[in-house]
């Protein structure tokens, strides 16, 4: 199995108001997010790629236009947790690139969420 990954960055705020008041995520705060999309294939295409990294450029545009320096509660359906964001970005990618195998989201250098069907 061949796998490639590409990393994207954006900054955004969110608030998880369904949590108890003493939970840090119940307060308005922000993160510098990292999104990693992974694509996998049993065979390489005629150019020798799983997929050309250049093709993934549209994800950067989507992130910049809809998520970067935004309040995620205004742009996400459901709670703006890393888990829900991983699923959201996976679904967006999988429609465009059938080789999409996983999306990882980091809110901090020590925390990661992953969606992999």
């Amino acid at each position: 199995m061949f796998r490639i990954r590409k990393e994207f960055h954006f900054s955004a705020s969110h608030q998880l108001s369904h949590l108890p008041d003493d939970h840090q995520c119940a307060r308005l705060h922000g993160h510098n997010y990292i999104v990693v999309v992974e694509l996998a294939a049993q065979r390489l295409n005629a150019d020798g790629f799983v997929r050309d990294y250049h093709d993934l450029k549209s994800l950067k545009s989507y992130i910049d236009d809809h998520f970067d320096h935004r309040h995620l509660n205004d742009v996400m359906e459901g709670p703006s947790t890393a888990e829900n964001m991983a699923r959201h970005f996976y679904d967006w990618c999988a429609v465009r690139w059938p080789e999409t195998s996983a999306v990882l989201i980091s809110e901090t250098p020590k925390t990661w969420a992953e969606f992999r069907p």
Side-chain angles (χ1 to χ4, degrees):
M1 178 72 66
F2 296 95
R3 294 183 191 280
I4 63 167
R5 290 182 176 177
K6 186 162 174 100
E7 183 174 296
F8 303 88
H9 296 242
F10 72 97
S11 298
S13 66
H14 75 146
Q15 183 174 15
L16 301 175
S17 57
H18 62 281
L19 297 174
D21 289 340
D22 62 341
H23 193 290
Q24 65 187 20
C25 289
R27 295 185 297 275
L28 178 62
H29 64 287
H31 295 287
N32 294 313
Y33 289 92
I34 299 172
V35 178
V36 178
V37 61
E38 178 184 276
L39 286 74
Q42 291 289 338
R43 293 182 175 82
L44 300 178
N45 66 20
D47 296 322
F49 300 132
V50 169
R51 176 164 295 270
D52 190 334
Y53 286 112
H54 183 76
D55 293 348
L56 306 181
K57 198 170 150 183
S58 60
L59 178 55
K60 174 71 171 137
S61 296
Y62 176 67
I63 290 170
D64 288 348
D65 292 346
H66 295 94
F67 292 88
D68 192 34
H69 288 84
R70 302 286 179 117
H71 183 55
L72 297 179
N73 296 55
D74 295 340
V75 296
M76 291 286 302
E77 290 185 26
S80 55
T81 62
E83 293 87 343
N84 283 335
M85 291 173 60
R87 176 62 188 260
H88 174 85
F89 285 116
Y90 176 88
D91 290 344
W92 190 92
C93 292
V95 167
R96 288 151 183 84
W97 312 303
E99 309 91 346
T100 303
S101 57
V103 170
L104 294 89
I105 302 282
S106 172
E107 292 181 333
T108 73
K110 296 181 180 182
T111 60
W112 288 88
E114 176 181 12
F115 182 81
R116 180 184 303 270

